Protein backbone atom coordinates (compact mmCIF):
# COMPACT_ATOMS: atom_id res chain seq x y z
CA UNK A 1 0.00 0.00 0.00
CA UNK A 2 1.43 3.35 -1.04
CA UNK A 3 1.77 6.32 1.29
CA UNK A 4 -1.08 8.09 -0.49
CA UNK A 5 -3.36 5.09 -0.06
CA UNK A 6 -2.41 4.86 3.63
CA UNK A 7 -3.18 8.52 4.06
CA UNK A 8 -6.59 8.15 2.44
CA UNK A 9 -7.31 5.07 4.52
CA UNK A 10 -6.33 6.91 7.70
CA UNK A 11 -8.52 9.87 6.70
CA UNK A 12 -11.46 7.58 6.08
CA UNK A 13 -11.08 5.83 9.46
CA UNK A 14 -10.74 9.18 11.26
CA UNK A 15 -13.91 10.53 9.67
CA UNK A 16 -15.76 7.36 10.62
CA UNK A 17 -14.40 6.50 14.09
CA UNK A 18 -12.49 9.55 15.33
CA UNK A 19 -8.82 10.23 15.97
CA UNK A 20 -6.77 7.02 15.95
CA UNK A 21 -4.15 8.44 18.33
CA UNK A 22 -6.72 9.11 21.04
CA UNK A 23 -8.17 5.64 20.52
CA UNK A 24 -4.68 4.15 20.75
CA UNK A 25 -3.85 5.98 23.99
CA UNK A 26 -7.20 4.91 25.43
CA UNK A 27 -6.72 1.21 24.66
CA UNK A 28 -3.15 1.19 26.02
CA UNK A 29 -4.39 2.75 29.27
CA UNK A 30 -7.18 0.18 29.27
CA UNK A 31 -4.67 -2.70 29.15
CA UNK A 32 -2.53 -1.10 31.87
CA UNK A 33 -5.65 -0.65 34.01
CA UNK A 34 -6.71 -4.29 33.77
CA UNK A 35 -3.23 -5.68 34.44
CA UNK A 36 -2.16 -3.32 37.21
CA UNK A 37 -5.46 -3.01 39.06
CA UNK A 38 -5.59 -6.80 39.29
CA UNK A 39 -1.96 -7.00 40.35
CA UNK A 40 -2.40 -4.32 43.04
CA UNK A 41 -5.62 -5.71 44.53
CA UNK A 42 -4.20 -8.38 46.83
CA UNK A 43 -5.51 -6.47 49.87
CA UNK A 44 -9.14 -6.79 48.77
CA UNK A 45 -9.03 -10.42 47.63
CA UNK A 46 -9.32 -11.83 51.15
CA UNK A 47 -12.75 -13.35 51.65
CA UNK A 48 -13.66 -12.95 47.99
CA UNK A 49 -13.02 -14.66 44.72
CA UNK A 50 -9.49 -14.10 43.46
CA UNK A 51 -11.01 -12.76 40.25
CA UNK A 52 -13.44 -10.32 41.90
CA UNK A 53 -11.13 -7.25 41.51
CA UNK A 54 -10.63 -7.77 37.78
CA UNK A 55 -14.34 -8.51 37.28
CA UNK A 56 -15.36 -5.29 39.03
CA UNK A 57 -12.74 -3.21 37.22
CA UNK A 58 -13.53 -4.85 33.89
CA UNK A 59 -17.23 -4.16 34.35
CA UNK A 60 -16.67 -0.43 34.82
CA UNK A 61 -14.18 -0.31 31.94
CA UNK A 62 -16.66 -2.08 29.65
CA UNK A 63 -19.40 0.35 30.65
CA UNK A 64 -16.96 3.20 30.01
CA UNK A 65 -16.20 1.84 26.54
CA UNK A 66 -19.92 1.80 25.80
CA UNK A 67 -20.14 5.44 26.87
CA UNK A 68 -17.26 6.38 24.58
CA UNK A 69 -18.78 4.60 21.57
CA UNK A 70 -22.17 6.23 22.19
CA UNK A 71 -20.70 9.71 22.68
CA UNK A 72 -18.52 9.44 19.60
CA UNK A 73 -21.71 9.44 17.49
CA UNK A 74 -23.15 12.59 19.09
CA UNK A 75 -22.54 16.04 17.63
CA UNK A 76 -20.70 18.23 20.11
CA UNK A 77 -22.83 21.30 19.18
CA UNK A 78 -26.15 19.54 19.68
CA UNK A 79 -28.61 22.09 21.12
CA UNK A 80 -29.88 19.63 23.73
CA UNK A 81 -26.33 18.95 24.87
CA UNK A 82 -25.47 22.63 25.25
CA UNK A 83 -28.70 23.90 26.82
CA UNK A 84 -29.82 20.77 28.63
CA UNK A 85 -27.12 18.35 29.68
CA UNK A 86 -24.48 20.91 30.73
CA UNK A 87 -26.78 22.80 33.17
CA UNK A 88 -28.22 19.48 34.38
CA UNK A 89 -24.72 18.17 35.10
CA UNK A 90 -23.99 21.41 36.97
CA UNK A 91 -27.05 21.07 39.23
CA UNK A 92 -26.42 17.36 39.85
CA UNK A 93 -22.79 18.04 40.80
CA UNK A 94 -23.64 20.93 43.12
CA UNK A 95 -26.46 18.93 44.70
CA UNK A 96 -24.17 15.96 45.22
CA UNK A 97 -21.45 18.08 46.84
CA UNK A 98 -24.00 19.72 49.14
CA UNK A 99 -25.36 16.31 50.14
CA UNK A 100 -21.84 15.06 50.89
CA UNK A 101 -21.29 18.05 53.20
CA UNK A 102 -24.37 17.09 55.21
CA UNK A 103 -24.63 13.31 55.05
CA UNK A 104 -21.81 11.97 52.90
CA UNK A 105 -20.33 8.55 53.59
CA UNK A 106 -16.73 8.34 54.73
CA UNK A 107 -14.24 6.87 52.23
CA UNK A 108 -10.57 6.63 53.21
CA UNK A 109 -11.02 8.93 56.17
CA UNK A 110 -13.04 11.70 54.49
CA UNK A 111 -16.71 12.27 53.76
CA UNK A 112 -16.79 12.20 49.98
CA UNK A 113 -19.24 9.56 48.70
CA UNK A 114 -22.92 8.94 48.13
CA UNK A 115 -24.21 5.35 48.05
CA UNK A 116 -26.91 4.76 45.44
CA UNK A 117 -28.31 1.23 45.08
CA UNK A 118 -25.14 -0.24 46.56
CA UNK A 119 -22.77 1.79 44.35
CA UNK A 120 -20.48 4.51 45.63
CA UNK A 121 -20.63 7.80 43.70
CA UNK A 122 -18.12 10.56 44.37
CA UNK A 123 -19.54 13.97 43.34
CA UNK A 124 -16.04 15.49 43.31
CA UNK A 125 -15.29 13.55 40.12
CA UNK A 126 -18.50 14.76 38.49
CA UNK A 127 -17.64 18.31 39.57
CA UNK A 128 -14.43 18.29 37.51
CA UNK A 129 -16.37 17.30 34.40
CA UNK A 130 -19.04 19.90 35.15
CA UNK A 131 -16.51 22.72 35.57
CA UNK A 132 -14.81 21.90 32.26
CA UNK A 133 -18.07 21.86 30.29
CA UNK A 134 -19.41 25.01 31.98
CA UNK A 135 -16.18 26.95 31.40
CA UNK A 136 -16.03 25.85 27.76
CA UNK A 137 -19.61 27.03 27.26
CA UNK A 138 -19.05 30.38 29.02
CA UNK A 139 -15.68 31.18 27.45
CA UNK A 140 -16.90 30.27 23.96
CA UNK A 141 -19.98 32.50 24.32
CA UNK A 142 -17.98 35.46 25.65
CA UNK A 143 -15.28 35.76 22.97
CA UNK A 144 -14.74 39.44 22.16
CA UNK A 145 -11.93 41.14 20.23
CA UNK A 146 -9.45 38.27 20.68
CA UNK A 147 -10.20 38.26 24.41
CA UNK A 148 -12.99 37.26 26.79
CA UNK A 149 -15.58 39.79 27.91
CA UNK A 150 -15.70 40.83 31.55
CA UNK A 151 -18.99 39.03 32.15
CA UNK A 152 -17.43 35.83 30.84
CA UNK A 153 -14.46 36.24 33.14
CA UNK A 154 -16.67 36.90 36.17
CA UNK A 155 -18.96 33.98 35.36
CA UNK A 156 -15.95 31.66 35.00
CA UNK A 157 -14.51 32.72 38.35
CA UNK A 158 -17.90 32.27 40.04
CA UNK A 159 -18.28 28.73 38.65
CA UNK A 160 -14.81 27.71 39.85
CA UNK A 161 -15.28 29.43 43.23
CA UNK A 162 -18.60 27.67 43.89
CA UNK A 163 -17.22 24.22 43.16
CA UNK A 164 -13.89 24.95 44.85
CA UNK A 165 -15.54 26.00 48.12
CA UNK A 166 -17.89 23.01 48.05
CA UNK A 167 -14.92 20.66 47.54
CA UNK A 168 -12.69 22.28 50.18
CA UNK A 169 -13.90 20.02 52.97
CA UNK A 170 -12.95 16.98 50.93
CA UNK A 171 -9.39 18.28 50.80
CA UNK A 172 -7.23 20.95 49.24
CA UNK A 173 -5.97 18.76 46.39
CA UNK A 174 -9.25 18.64 44.46
CA UNK A 175 -9.74 22.39 44.88
CA UNK A 176 -6.20 23.16 43.69
CA UNK A 177 -6.62 20.73 40.79
CA UNK A 178 -9.87 22.42 39.82
CA UNK A 179 -8.19 25.82 39.78
CA UNK A 180 -5.29 24.51 37.69
CA UNK A 181 -7.63 23.02 35.10
CA UNK A 182 -9.68 26.22 34.92
CA UNK A 183 -6.58 28.40 34.49
CA UNK A 184 -5.36 26.24 31.62
CA UNK A 185 -8.76 26.58 29.94
CA UNK A 186 -8.72 30.35 30.44
CA UNK A 187 -5.34 30.54 28.72
CA UNK A 188 -6.68 28.48 25.80
CA UNK A 189 -9.84 30.59 25.83
CA UNK A 190 -7.85 33.70 24.96
CA UNK A 191 -8.02 35.59 28.26
CA UNK A 192 -5.24 38.18 28.44
CA UNK A 193 -2.39 37.67 30.89
CA UNK A 194 -3.45 40.79 32.80
CA UNK A 195 -6.81 39.18 33.51
CA UNK A 196 -5.19 35.81 34.23
CA UNK A 197 -3.20 37.49 37.03
CA UNK A 198 -6.45 39.04 38.30
CA UNK A 199 -8.06 35.59 38.34
CA UNK A 200 -5.10 34.19 40.30
CA UNK A 201 -5.52 36.93 42.91
CA UNK A 202 -9.26 36.22 43.17
CA UNK A 203 -8.59 32.49 43.51
CA UNK A 204 -6.10 33.16 46.32
CA UNK A 205 -8.61 35.37 48.16
CA UNK A 206 -11.45 32.86 47.80
CA UNK A 207 -9.16 29.97 48.74
CA UNK A 208 -7.84 31.74 51.84
CA UNK A 209 -11.36 32.63 52.97
CA UNK A 210 -12.62 29.11 52.36
CA UNK A 211 -9.69 27.54 54.18
CA UNK A 212 -10.23 29.82 57.19
CA UNK A 213 -13.90 28.87 57.36
CA UNK A 214 -13.05 25.20 56.89
CA UNK A 215 -10.44 25.22 59.67
CA UNK A 216 -12.93 26.86 62.04
CA UNK A 217 -15.63 24.31 61.22
CA UNK A 218 -13.22 21.38 61.57
CA UNK A 219 -12.12 22.65 64.97
CA UNK A 220 -15.76 22.85 66.06
CA UNK A 221 -16.39 19.32 64.79
CA UNK A 222 -13.39 17.97 66.72
CA UNK A 223 -14.80 19.37 69.98
CA UNK A 224 -18.08 17.56 69.37
CA UNK A 225 -16.34 14.31 68.40
CA UNK A 226 -14.30 14.16 71.61
CA UNK A 227 -17.54 13.33 73.46
CA UNK A 228 -18.52 10.60 70.99
CA UNK A 229 -17.84 6.94 71.45
CA UNK A 230 -15.09 5.58 69.27
CA UNK A 231 -16.08 2.28 67.73
CA UNK A 232 -16.56 0.34 64.52
CA UNK A 233 -19.22 2.79 63.33
CA UNK A 234 -17.11 5.88 63.87
CA UNK A 235 -15.86 5.57 60.30
CA UNK A 236 -19.42 6.05 59.03
CA UNK A 237 -19.77 9.58 60.38
CA UNK A 238 -19.56 12.40 57.87
CA UNK A 239 -17.98 14.93 60.25
CA UNK A 240 -14.38 13.78 60.34
CA UNK A 241 -11.74 16.15 61.65
CA UNK A 242 -8.74 15.96 59.33
CA UNK A 243 -7.23 19.38 59.99
CA UNK A 244 -4.29 18.20 62.10
CA UNK A 245 -3.64 15.32 59.71
CA UNK A 246 -3.49 17.66 56.68
CA UNK A 247 -1.23 20.10 58.48
CA UNK A 248 1.00 17.21 59.51
CA UNK A 249 1.22 15.92 55.93
CA UNK A 250 2.18 19.32 54.55
CA UNK A 251 4.71 19.93 57.34
CA UNK A 252 6.23 16.47 56.86
CA UNK A 253 6.50 17.02 53.10
CA UNK A 254 8.19 20.40 53.57
CA UNK A 255 10.71 19.15 56.13
CA UNK A 256 11.54 15.64 54.92
CA UNK A 257 13.68 14.12 52.18
CA UNK A 258 11.84 11.58 50.03
CA UNK A 259 15.12 9.71 49.43
CA UNK A 260 15.86 9.09 53.11
CA UNK A 261 14.51 5.97 54.81
CA UNK A 262 12.49 6.42 57.98
CA UNK A 263 11.14 3.70 60.30
CA UNK A 264 7.67 2.71 59.10
CA UNK A 265 4.82 3.88 61.33
CA UNK A 266 1.10 4.45 60.98
CA UNK A 267 1.79 8.07 60.08
CA UNK A 268 4.20 7.42 57.20
CA UNK A 269 3.22 3.95 55.96
CA UNK A 270 1.88 5.24 52.64
CA UNK A 271 4.97 7.28 51.83
CA UNK A 272 7.52 4.68 52.92
CA UNK A 273 5.94 1.63 51.25
CA UNK A 274 5.38 3.71 48.11
CA UNK A 275 9.09 4.62 48.00
CA UNK A 276 10.07 1.00 48.70
CA UNK A 277 7.92 -0.17 45.79
CA UNK A 278 9.51 2.28 43.37
CA UNK A 279 13.03 1.48 44.59
CA UNK A 280 12.34 -2.24 44.23
CA UNK A 281 11.28 -1.74 40.61
CA UNK A 282 14.61 -0.30 39.52
CA UNK A 283 15.03 0.42 35.82
CA UNK A 284 13.06 -2.41 34.22
CA UNK A 285 10.83 -3.63 37.05
CA UNK A 286 10.04 -7.04 38.50
CA UNK A 287 7.35 -7.80 35.83
CA UNK A 288 3.57 -7.62 36.38
CA UNK A 289 2.22 -9.91 39.08
CA UNK A 290 5.46 -9.97 41.08
CA UNK A 291 4.99 -6.86 43.20
CA UNK A 292 6.33 -7.20 46.72
CA UNK A 293 4.73 -4.10 48.21
CA UNK A 294 1.17 -4.37 46.87
CA UNK A 295 0.08 -6.32 49.96
CA UNK A 296 1.61 -3.78 52.36
CA UNK A 297 1.08 -0.45 50.61
CA UNK A 298 -2.24 1.10 51.72
CA UNK A 299 -4.61 1.82 48.82
CA UNK A 300 -2.20 0.28 46.33
CA UNK A 301 -5.09 -0.31 43.93
CA UNK A 302 -6.21 3.34 43.86
CA UNK A 303 -4.26 6.25 45.34
CA UNK A 304 -0.87 4.52 44.97
CA UNK A 305 -1.25 2.40 41.88
CA UNK A 306 1.48 4.35 40.07
CA UNK A 307 4.00 3.09 42.65
CA UNK A 308 2.98 -0.48 41.81
CA UNK A 309 3.30 0.28 38.09
CA UNK A 310 6.86 1.54 38.66
CA UNK A 311 7.67 -1.49 40.84
CA UNK A 312 6.46 -3.97 38.22
CA UNK A 313 7.57 -2.19 35.04
CA UNK A 314 10.42 -0.08 36.42
CA UNK A 315 11.45 3.44 35.56
CA UNK A 316 10.89 2.62 31.89
CA UNK A 317 7.25 1.67 32.44
CA UNK A 318 6.64 4.66 34.69
CA UNK A 319 7.95 7.05 32.04
CA UNK A 320 5.87 5.37 29.33
CA UNK A 321 2.67 5.82 31.38
CA UNK A 322 3.61 9.46 32.02
CA UNK A 323 4.22 10.05 28.31
CA UNK A 324 0.82 8.55 27.43
CA UNK A 325 -0.92 11.37 29.27
CA UNK A 326 1.37 13.97 27.74
CA UNK A 327 0.66 12.47 24.31
CA UNK A 328 -3.08 12.79 24.99
CA UNK A 329 -2.65 16.48 25.80
CA UNK A 330 -0.49 17.00 22.73
CA UNK A 331 -2.96 15.27 20.44
CA UNK A 332 -5.83 17.30 21.85
CA UNK A 333 -3.87 20.49 21.14
CA UNK A 334 -3.31 19.43 17.52
CA UNK A 335 -7.02 18.74 17.02
CA UNK A 336 -7.93 22.00 18.75
CA UNK A 337 -5.66 23.89 16.37
CA UNK A 338 -7.76 22.56 13.48
CA UNK A 339 -11.02 23.83 14.96
CA UNK A 340 -12.50 26.99 13.48
CA UNK A 341 -14.71 27.61 16.51
CA UNK A 342 -13.86 28.12 20.11
CA UNK A 343 -16.33 25.67 21.69
CA UNK A 344 -14.86 22.40 20.34
CA UNK A 345 -11.33 23.67 20.94
CA UNK A 346 -12.12 24.55 24.55
CA UNK A 347 -13.97 21.29 25.15
CA UNK A 348 -11.25 19.01 23.84
CA UNK A 349 -8.46 20.94 25.57
CA UNK A 350 -10.44 21.08 28.80
CA UNK A 351 -11.06 17.33 28.82
CA UNK A 352 -7.41 16.59 28.06
CA UNK A 353 -6.28 19.03 30.76
CA UNK A 354 -8.62 17.42 33.29
CA UNK A 355 -7.21 13.95 32.63
CA UNK A 356 -3.56 15.01 32.36
CA UNK A 357 -3.52 17.32 35.38
CA UNK A 358 -5.13 14.66 37.56
CA UNK A 359 -2.61 12.07 36.33
CA UNK A 360 0.33 14.41 37.06
CA UNK A 361 -1.08 15.13 40.51
CA UNK A 362 -1.38 11.39 41.26
CA UNK A 363 2.17 10.72 40.09
CA UNK A 364 3.59 13.70 41.99
CA UNK A 365 2.02 12.43 45.22
CA UNK A 366 3.40 8.94 44.60
CA UNK A 367 6.99 10.10 44.01
CA UNK A 368 6.95 12.58 46.89
CA UNK A 369 6.79 15.80 44.86
CA UNK A 370 3.47 16.72 46.55
CA UNK A 371 2.04 16.10 50.03
CA UNK A 372 0.06 12.89 50.53
CA UNK A 373 -3.53 13.13 49.29
CA UNK A 374 -6.02 10.85 47.62
CA UNK A 375 -6.15 11.27 43.84
CA UNK A 376 -6.87 8.40 41.41
CA UNK A 377 -4.82 7.79 38.27
CA UNK A 378 -7.34 8.37 35.42
CA UNK A 379 -8.68 5.15 33.86
CA UNK A 380 -6.17 3.00 35.78
CA UNK A 381 -6.97 3.32 39.49
CA UNK A 382 -9.82 1.32 40.97
CA UNK A 383 -12.92 3.49 41.24
CA UNK A 384 -16.14 3.42 39.25
CA UNK A 385 -16.97 7.13 39.28
CA UNK A 386 -13.47 8.13 38.15
CA UNK A 387 -13.46 5.56 35.33
CA UNK A 388 -16.87 6.64 34.02
CA UNK A 389 -16.05 10.35 34.19
CA UNK A 390 -12.76 9.76 32.37
CA UNK A 391 -14.63 7.70 29.77
CA UNK A 392 -17.03 10.60 29.18
CA UNK A 393 -14.01 12.86 28.64
CA UNK A 394 -12.48 10.44 26.12
CA UNK A 395 -15.85 10.08 24.38
CA UNK A 396 -16.18 13.83 23.95
CA UNK A 397 -12.62 14.15 22.62
CA UNK A 398 -13.23 11.41 20.06
CA UNK A 399 -16.56 13.00 19.13
CA UNK A 400 -14.87 16.35 18.45
CA UNK A 401 -11.98 14.77 16.53
CA UNK A 402 -14.49 12.97 14.33
CA UNK A 403 -16.47 16.18 13.73
CA UNK A 404 -13.30 18.07 12.80
CA UNK A 405 -12.22 15.32 10.39
CA UNK A 406 -15.61 15.46 8.68
CA UNK A 407 -15.51 19.26 8.49
CA UNK A 408 -18.65 19.61 10.60
CA UNK A 409 -17.22 22.58 12.51
CA UNK A 410 -16.37 24.39 9.26
CA UNK A 411 -19.50 23.97 7.20
CA UNK A 412 -20.87 27.36 8.23
CA UNK A 413 -17.59 29.19 7.63
CA UNK A 414 -17.59 31.72 4.84
CA UNK A 415 -14.78 30.00 3.00
CA UNK A 416 -16.82 26.80 2.82
CA UNK A 417 -20.07 28.35 1.69
CA UNK A 418 -19.59 27.37 -1.91
CA UNK A 419 -20.14 24.26 -3.95
CA UNK A 420 -17.43 22.14 -2.40
CA UNK A 421 -18.44 18.56 -1.77
CA UNK A 422 -18.44 16.91 1.62
CA UNK A 423 -15.37 14.81 0.81
CA UNK A 424 -13.35 17.89 -0.19
CA UNK A 425 -14.40 19.79 2.92
CA UNK A 426 -13.48 16.82 5.10
CA UNK A 427 -10.09 16.46 3.44
CA UNK A 428 -9.32 20.15 3.96
CA UNK A 429 -10.41 19.96 7.58
CA UNK A 430 -8.21 16.94 8.21
CA UNK A 431 -5.11 18.29 6.45
CA UNK A 432 -5.13 21.92 7.55
CA UNK A 433 -3.31 22.73 10.78
CA UNK A 434 -3.57 26.44 11.49
CA UNK A 435 -1.51 28.51 13.91
CA UNK A 436 -2.69 27.55 17.45
CA UNK A 437 -2.70 31.19 18.52
CA UNK A 438 -5.22 32.00 15.79
CA UNK A 439 -7.70 29.14 15.98
CA UNK A 440 -10.13 30.68 18.49
CA UNK A 441 -12.87 32.46 16.56
CA UNK A 442 -16.03 34.20 17.65
CA UNK A 443 -18.30 31.39 16.45
CA UNK A 444 -19.18 29.25 19.46
CA UNK A 445 -21.55 26.58 18.24
Amino acid sequence: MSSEEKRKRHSELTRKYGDSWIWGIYFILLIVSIVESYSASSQIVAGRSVYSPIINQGGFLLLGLGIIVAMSRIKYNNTYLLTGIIPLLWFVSVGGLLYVLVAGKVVNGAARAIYIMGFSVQPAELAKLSVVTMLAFILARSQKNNDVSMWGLIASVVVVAVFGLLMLRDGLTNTALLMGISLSMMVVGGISWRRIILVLVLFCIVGAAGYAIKSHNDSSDSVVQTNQTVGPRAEEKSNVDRTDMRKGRVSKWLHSDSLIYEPVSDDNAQEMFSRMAQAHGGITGVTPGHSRECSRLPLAFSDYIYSIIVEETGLVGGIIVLMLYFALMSRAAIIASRCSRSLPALLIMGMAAMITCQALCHMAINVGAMPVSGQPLPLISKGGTSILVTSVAFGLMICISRSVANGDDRRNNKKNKDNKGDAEIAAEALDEATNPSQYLKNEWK
Side-chain angles (χ1 to χ4, degrees), residues 39-44 261 264-266 268-277 280 291-301 304 308 311:
S39 179
S41 297
S42 61
Q43 293 181 11
I44 60 176
Y261 173 80
V264 180
S265 64
D266 291 339
N268 67 1
Q270 289 178 317
E271 300 101 301
M272 294 313 302
F273 286 128
S274 173
R275 296 169 193 170
M276 291 178 188
H280 186 219
S291 170
R292 182 186 65 191
E293 304 300 334
C294 65
S295 59
R296 299 195 296 175
L297 175 59
L299 303 176
F301 48 81
Y304 282 88
I308 303 302
E311 182 183 15

Side-chain angles (χ1 to χ4, degrees), residues 46-66:
R48 307 182 189 179
S49 167
V50 69
Y51 297 109
S52 62
I54 198 170
I55 292 174
N56 292 336
Q57 185 80 349
F60 281 113
L61 291 174
L62 187 61
L63 180 58
L65 178 59

Side-chain angles (χ1 to χ4, degrees), residues 90-270:
W90 192 87
F91 283 114
V92 169
S93 301
V94 171
L97 291 173
L98 288 173
Y99 180 85
V100 164
L101 290 176
V102 177
K105 298 298 181 180
V106 174
V107 177
N108 300 331
R112 62 184 67 174
I114 301 174
Y115 281 92
I116 302 176
M117 300 177 62
F119 292 96
S120 173
V121 178
Q122 298 197 18
E125 296 297 323
L126 290 174
K128 298 170 189 174
L129 185 65
S130 182
V131 167
V132 171
T133 53
M134 286 293 292
L135 287 184
F137 185 81
I138 292 170
L139 294 173
R141 290 297 303 270
S142 58
Q143 295 288 308
K144 183 179 180 181
N145 298 327
N146 295 322
D147 201 344
V148 174
S149 63
M150 185 55 69
W151 80 263
L153 180 66
I154 295 173
S156 299
V157 172
V158 169
V159 168
V160 177
V162 168
F163 280 101
L165 291 175
L166 289 175
M167 295 169 69
L168 247 176
R169 186 174 178 180
D170 184 30
L172 296 176
T173 308
N174 275 329
T175 302
L177 185 60
L178 205 63
M179 292 181 177
I181 295 170
S182 63
L183 284 172
S184 66
M185 289 191 66
M186 290 178 187
V187 172
V188 173
I191 295 180
S192 63
W193 284 107
R194 180 173 57 85
R195 291 184 175 181
I196 290 290
I197 294 174
L198 175 62
V199 170
L200 281 171
V201 173
L202 292 175
F203 280 172
C204 290
I205 293 173
V206 173
Y211 184 74
I213 296 172
K214 177 180 179 300
S215 298
H216 174 73
N217 292 339
D218 285 345
S219 299
S220 301
D221 291 341
S222 64
V223 173
V224 174
Q225 288 176 17
T226 54
N227 298 322
Q228 295 176 343
T229 302
V230 177
R233 298 186 63 82
E235 185 71 6
E236 297 179 6
K237 300 183 181 297
S238 61
N239 294 325
V240 180
D241 179 25
R242 293 163 57 88
T243 306
D244 292 338
M245 181 193 69
R246 292 193 185 102
K247 291 180 179 178
R249 285 178 173 179
V250 174
S251 177
K252 186 188 303 181
W253 175 71
L254 290 173
H255 298 92
S256 65
D257 189 340
S258 62
L259 299 179
I260 297 177
Y261 173 80
E262 300 174 2
V264 180
S265 64
D266 291 339
D267 294 333
N268 67 1
Q270 289 178 317

